[in-house]
Amino acid sequence: MNPGIESISMYIPRYGLDLHDLARARNVDYAKYHQGIGQEYMAVPAPDEDVVTLGTNAARQALQNVDRSEIRTVIFATESGVDQSKAAAIYAHKLLGLPANCRTVEMKQACCSSTSALHFGLSTVAMHPEQKVLIIAADIARYGLGSAGEPTQGGGAVAMVLSADAKILRIDPHVGYYTEDVMDFWRPNYRDEALVDGKYSIKVYLNALENAWKHYKDDSGAGFADFAHFCYHLPFSRMGLKAHLHLARHENAGLGAKELQAQVEPSLAYNRRIGNAYTASLYMGLLSLLETGPKNLTGKRVGLFSYGSGCMGAFFGGKVIEGYRQHLHTRLHQDLLDNRQNLTLAEYEDFYNHVLPATGETYRTDRHRTGSFRLAGIENHQRLYEPVPSMRIMAADAAEARVAAPAV
Ligand code: HMG
């Protein structure tokens, strides 16, 4: 049995903000965003997108070569849930046309519930190797206009199909955990934006890394030198580098700065251009490594650290499987990253400030550029989702290409 990731894909909003524009508007030196926190661009969801549409768009792609009748469990990991009772997984399950004999659930623990979802999913696969599990991690990171966290905002989703016949990454059974009750970042029910003690959150993240790593080492017997590459939860890309240097120092890894940088740098490329996507962030880092890193990672071991504020950390590892490249959606992901519409600062603030009426009255959301699913509106307190015909997606892309083309 080869339990792990059979298929993985990401989806990001089709709009974004260049951080040069944000720096100008907030009167901040762009170098602080670019070098200090390592960000270039922020993904901005449209008013007719939410975690259900983001996640379902990612899952549609991840399921492309999978027999949907084999999916028996859908776990939706998010901290930007749309309902206090009903799981986002149920909306996704319907939009994706999954079989009715399916278990569907939503999970929460800040950014790291996606990793618990992954390990719960793998336990299911170990018990029932004939079944497959769909994990969807989707989030929208919001800190507030003009806040210190603003340049780290972002959003998007990653979906993974887990099976006993992994085609991309075999996941090792050992996991190192660390939990501690701290208030570094949280979002009470009555708020749309997170509250955060930014500098403290970085300290807590590094402490959770040290402790989860120690538990992992004791449990698995593996060490730093067993891994060729590392992926970290990325609230912003510089955090990945900070975390790796911290771990290497703690372990007396004996590697030079260049070697350490090479172990983590390929996992940072997507985050720089997306921003924080909470539960999806670590797995966007994994995609970034697999799709932009060294051409042949077959047989290499990757160490992954998942962090969720509040807080919980988990360290685990996996081995890249021969032939993995042919199962990736690299071209699609790079098209998504390269073909986004730049918002002006005013448009970004309008998107950011858009809210659905809390009274539940009938409301239709304006149509924007989205993927294959959008939030059509609300009626009787019920969210309405609809598929978007691919012709309409292509027409929006073509119209934008015409606008962007230089006049001749
Ligand atoms: P800040 O106060 O804006 O920035 O907050 P700063 O003053 O600390 O500067 C940041 C870095 O830029 C520093 O580098 C500066 O020196 C440098 P460092 O000391 O870290 O090496 N800098 C410059 N560099 C070049 N040119 C310049 C310049 N000026 C300054 N001109 C902070 C930054 C990250 C705290 C803020 O953005 C924030 O609060 N972010 C949100 C919280 C966060 O991301 N925390 C990370 C750990 S917690 C986590 O990962 C969990 C999370 O994802 C949530 C979840 O689990 O659900 C957030």
Coordinates of all heavy atoms in Angstrom, one line a residue, residues 29 31-32 35-37 79 110-111 143 148-149 151-152 184-185 196 198-199 201-202 205 233 235-236 238-239 242 276 278 307-309, ligand 1:
D29 N 7.4 51.8 2.3 CA 8.5 51.5 1.4 C 8.2 50.1 0.8 O 8.0 49.1 1.6 CB 9.8 51.5 2.2 CG 11.0 51.2 1.3 OD1 10.8 50.9 0.1 OD2 12.1 51.2 1.8
A31 N 10.0 48.0 -0.4 CA 11.0 47.0 0.0 C 10.6 46.3 1.3 O 10.9 45.1 1.5 CB 12.4 47.7 0.3
K32 N 9.8 46.9 2.1 CA 9.3 46.3 3.4 C 8.4 45.1 3.0 O 8.5 44.0 3.6 CB 8.6 47.2 4.2 CG 7.9 46.5 5.5 CD 7.3 47.5 6.4 CE 6.7 46.7 7.6 NZ 6.0 47.5 8.5
Q35 N 11.0 42.7 0.4 CA 12.1 41.9 1.1 C 11.8 41.6 2.6 O 12.0 40.5 3.0 CB 13.4 42.8 1.1 CG 14.3 42.7 -0.1 CD 14.2 43.9 -1.0 OE1 14.4 45.0 -0.5 NE2 13.9 43.8 -2.2
G36 N 11.1 42.5 3.3 CA 10.9 42.3 4.7 C 9.9 41.2 4.9 O 10.2 40.3 5.8
I37 N 8.8 41.1 4.2 CA 7.9 40.0 4.4 C 7.8 39.0 3.2 O 7.2 38.0 3.3 CB 6.5 40.4 4.8 CG1 5.8 41.3 3.8 CG2 6.5 41.2 6.1 CD1 4.3 41.6 4.1
E79 N -11.2 28.1 7.9 CA -11.5 29.0 9.0 C -12.3 30.2 8.5 O -12.4 31.2 9.3 CB -10.3 29.4 9.8 CG -9.2 30.1 9.0 CD -8.0 30.5 9.8 OE1 -8.2 31.3 10.7 OE2 -6.9 30.0 9.5
A110 N -7.8 26.9 12.8 CA -7.0 27.9 12.1 C -6.4 27.3 10.8 O -7.1 26.6 10.1 CB -5.9 28.5 13.1
C111 N -5.1 27.6 10.6 CA -4.6 27.2 9.3 C -4.2 25.7 9.2 O -3.9 25.2 8.2 CB -3.3 27.9 9.0 SG -3.5 29.7 8.9
Y143 N -7.4 40.9 7.3 CA -6.9 41.6 8.5 C -7.4 43.0 8.7 O -7.3 43.6 9.7 CB -5.4 41.6 8.5 CG -4.7 40.3 8.6 CD1 -4.3 39.6 7.5 CD2 -4.6 39.7 9.8 CE1 -3.7 38.3 7.6 CE2 -4.0 38.4 9.9 CZ -3.6 37.8 8.8 OH -3.0 36.5 8.9
A148 N -1.5 46.1 9.9 CA -0.1 45.6 9.6 C -0.2 44.3 8.8 O 0.7 44.0 8.1 CB 0.6 45.4 11.0
G149 N -1.3 43.5 9.0 CA -1.4 42.3 8.3 C -1.9 42.4 6.9 O -1.8 41.4 6.1
P151 N -0.8 43.5 4.0 CA 0.0 43.0 2.8 C 0.2 41.5 2.8 O 0.7 41.0 1.8 CB 1.4 43.7 3.0 CG 1.4 44.1 4.5 CD 0.0 44.4 4.9
T152 N -0.2 40.8 3.9 CA -0.1 39.4 3.9 C -1.4 38.7 3.5 O -1.5 37.5 3.4 CB 0.3 38.8 5.3 OG1 -0.8 39.0 6.2 CG2 1.5 39.5 5.8
D184 N -2.6 34.3 19.8 CA -1.8 35.0 18.8 C -2.6 35.5 17.6 O -2.2 36.5 17.0 CB -0.6 34.1 18.3 CG -1.0 32.8 17.6 OD1 -2.1 32.3 17.9 OD2 -0.3 32.4 16.8
F185 N -3.7 34.8 17.3 CA -4.5 35.2 16.2 C -5.8 34.4 16.4 O -5.8 33.2 16.7 CB -3.8 34.7 14.9 CG -4.6 34.6 13.6 CD1 -4.4 35.5 12.6 CD2 -5.6 33.7 13.5 CE1 -5.1 35.5 11.4 CE2 -6.4 33.6 12.3 CZ -6.1 34.5 11.3
V196 N -5.1 39.9 15.7 CA -3.8 39.3 15.7 C -2.7 40.1 16.4 O -2.8 41.3 16.4 CB -3.3 39.0 14.2 CG1 -3.2 40.3 13.4 CG2 -2.0 38.3 14.1
G198 N 0.7 40.3 15.9 CA 1.6 39.8 14.8 C 3.0 39.3 15.3 O 3.4 38.2 14.9
K199 N 3.7 40.1 16.0 CA 5.1 39.8 16.4 C 5.1 38.5 17.3 O 5.9 37.6 17.2 CB 5.8 41.0 17.1 CG 5.8 42.2 16.2 CD 7.1 42.6 15.7 CE 7.1 43.5 14.6 NZ 6.6 44.9 14.7
S201 N 2.8 36.3 17.3 CA 2.4 35.1 16.5 C 3.6 34.4 15.9 O 3.7 33.2 15.7 CB 1.3 35.4 15.5 OG 1.9 36.2 14.4
I202 N 4.6 35.2 15.5 CA 5.8 34.7 14.9 C 6.6 33.8 15.9 O 7.1 32.7 15.6 CB 6.6 35.8 14.2 CG1 5.9 36.4 13.1 CG2 8.0 35.3 13.8 CD1 6.5 37.6 12.5
Y205 N 4.7 30.6 16.6 CA 4.9 29.7 15.4 C 6.2 29.0 15.5 O 6.3 27.8 15.4 CB 4.8 30.6 14.1 CG 5.1 29.9 12.8 CD1 4.2 30.0 11.8 CD2 6.3 29.3 12.5 CE1 4.4 29.4 10.5 CE2 6.6 28.7 11.3 CZ 5.6 28.8 10.3 OH 5.9 28.2 9.1
H233 N 4.1 26.1 6.7 CA 2.9 27.0 6.6 C 3.4 28.4 6.3 O 4.3 28.9 7.0 CB 2.1 27.0 7.9 CG 1.1 28.1 7.9 ND1 0.2 28.3 6.9 CD2 1.0 29.2 8.8 CE1 -0.5 29.3 7.2 NE2 -0.1 29.9 8.3
P235 N 2.3 32.1 6.2 CA 1.4 33.3 6.3 C 1.9 34.4 5.4 O 1.2 35.3 5.0 CB 1.6 33.7 7.8 CG 2.9 33.1 8.2 CD 3.1 31.8 7.4
F236 N 3.2 34.4 5.1 CA 3.9 35.2 4.1 C 5.2 34.5 3.8 O 5.7 33.7 4.6 CB 4.1 36.7 4.6 CG 4.8 36.7 6.0 CD1 6.1 36.8 6.2 CD2 3.9 36.7 7.1 CE1 6.7 36.8 7.4 CE2 4.5 36.7 8.4 CZ 5.9 36.8 8.6
R238 N 8.4 35.1 3.6 CA 9.6 35.2 4.5 C 9.5 34.3 5.7 O 10.5 33.9 6.3 CB 9.8 36.7 4.8 CG 11.0 37.1 5.4 CD 12.1 37.7 4.6 NE 13.3 37.7 5.3 CZ 13.6 38.4 6.4 NH1 12.7 39.3 6.7 NH2 14.7 38.3 7.0
M239 N 8.3 34.0 6.2 CA 8.1 33.2 7.3 C 8.7 31.8 7.1 O 9.3 31.2 8.0 CB 6.6 33.1 7.7 CG 6.3 32.4 9.0 SD 6.8 33.4 10.5 CE 7.6 32.1 11.4
K242 N 12.4 32.1 7.5 CA 12.7 32.3 9.0 C 12.6 31.0 9.7 O 13.4 30.6 10.5 CB 11.6 33.2 9.6 CG 12.0 34.7 9.8 CD 10.8 35.3 10.5 CE 10.6 36.8 10.2 NZ 11.6 37.6 10.8
N276 N -1.5 34.9 2.0 CA -1.9 33.8 2.9 C -3.2 33.2 2.5 O -4.1 34.0 2.1 CB -2.0 34.4 4.4 CG -2.0 33.3 5.4 OD1 -2.0 32.1 5.1 ND2 -1.9 33.7 6.7
Y278 N -4.4 30.7 4.5 CA -4.6 29.9 5.7 C -4.5 28.4 5.5 O -3.4 27.9 5.3 CB -6.0 30.3 6.3 CG -6.1 31.7 6.8 CD1 -7.4 32.3 6.9 CD2 -5.0 32.5 7.1 CE1 -7.6 33.6 7.3 CE2 -5.2 33.8 7.6 CZ -6.5 34.3 7.7 OH -6.7 35.6 8.1
Y307 N 1.1 24.9 10.6 CA 0.9 25.7 11.9 C -0.5 26.3 11.8 O -0.9 26.9 10.8 CB 1.9 26.8 12.0 CG 1.6 27.6 13.2 CD1 1.9 27.2 14.5 CD2 1.1 28.9 13.1 CE1 1.6 28.0 15.6 CE2 0.8 29.7 14.2 CZ 1.0 29.2 15.5 OH 0.7 30.0 16.6
G308 N -1.2 26.2 12.9 CA -2.5 26.9 13.1 C -2.5 27.7 14.3 O -2.3 27.1 15.4
S309 N -2.8 29.0 14.3 CA -2.8 29.8 15.4 C -3.7 29.3 16.5 O -4.7 28.6 16.2 CB -3.2 31.3 15.1 OG -2.1 31.9 14.4
Ligands
HMG1 P1 5.0 44.8 10.7 O1 4.9 45.5 12.0 O2 4.3 45.5 9.6 O3 6.4 44.7 10.2 O4 4.4 43.3 10.9 P2 7.9 44.7 10.8 O5 8.1 46.1 11.3 O6 8.0 43.5 11.8 O7 8.7 44.4 9.5 C1 8.6 43.2 8.9 C2 9.9 42.8 8.4 O8 10.3 43.8 7.3 C3 11.1 43.0 9.4 O9 12.0 42.0 9.1 C4 11.7 44.3 9.1 O10 13.0 44.5 9.5 C5 11.5 44.4 7.6 P3 12.5 40.9 10.2 O11 12.9 41.7 11.4 O12 11.2 40.1 10.5 O13 13.6 40.1 9.6 N1 11.5 45.7 7.0 C6 12.1 46.1 5.9 N2 12.8 45.4 5.0 C7 13.3 46.0 3.9 N3 13.1 47.3 3.7 C8 12.4 48.1 4.5 C9 11.8 47.4 5.7 N4 11.1 47.9 6.7 C10 10.9 46.8 7.5 N5 12.2 49.4 4.3 C11 3.7 41.1 10.5 C12 4.7 42.2 10.2 C13 4.1 39.8 9.8 C14 3.8 40.9 12.1 C15 2.3 41.6 10.1 O14 2.2 41.6 8.7 C16 1.2 40.7 10.7 O15 0.7 40.9 11.8 N6 0.8 39.7 9.9 C17 -0.3 38.8 10.3 C18 0.1 37.7 11.3 C19 1.1 36.7 10.7 O16 1.2 36.5 9.5 N7 1.8 36.0 11.6 C20 2.6 34.9 11.2 C21 2.7 33.8 12.2 S1 1.1 33.2 12.8 C22 0.6 32.2 11.5 O17 1.3 31.9 10.6 C23 -0.9 31.8 11.5 C24 -1.8 32.5 10.5 O18 -1.6 32.1 9.2 C25 -3.3 32.4 10.9 C26 -3.8 31.0 11.2 O19 -3.2 30.1 11.6 O20 -5.0 30.9 11.0 C27 -1.5 34.0 10.5

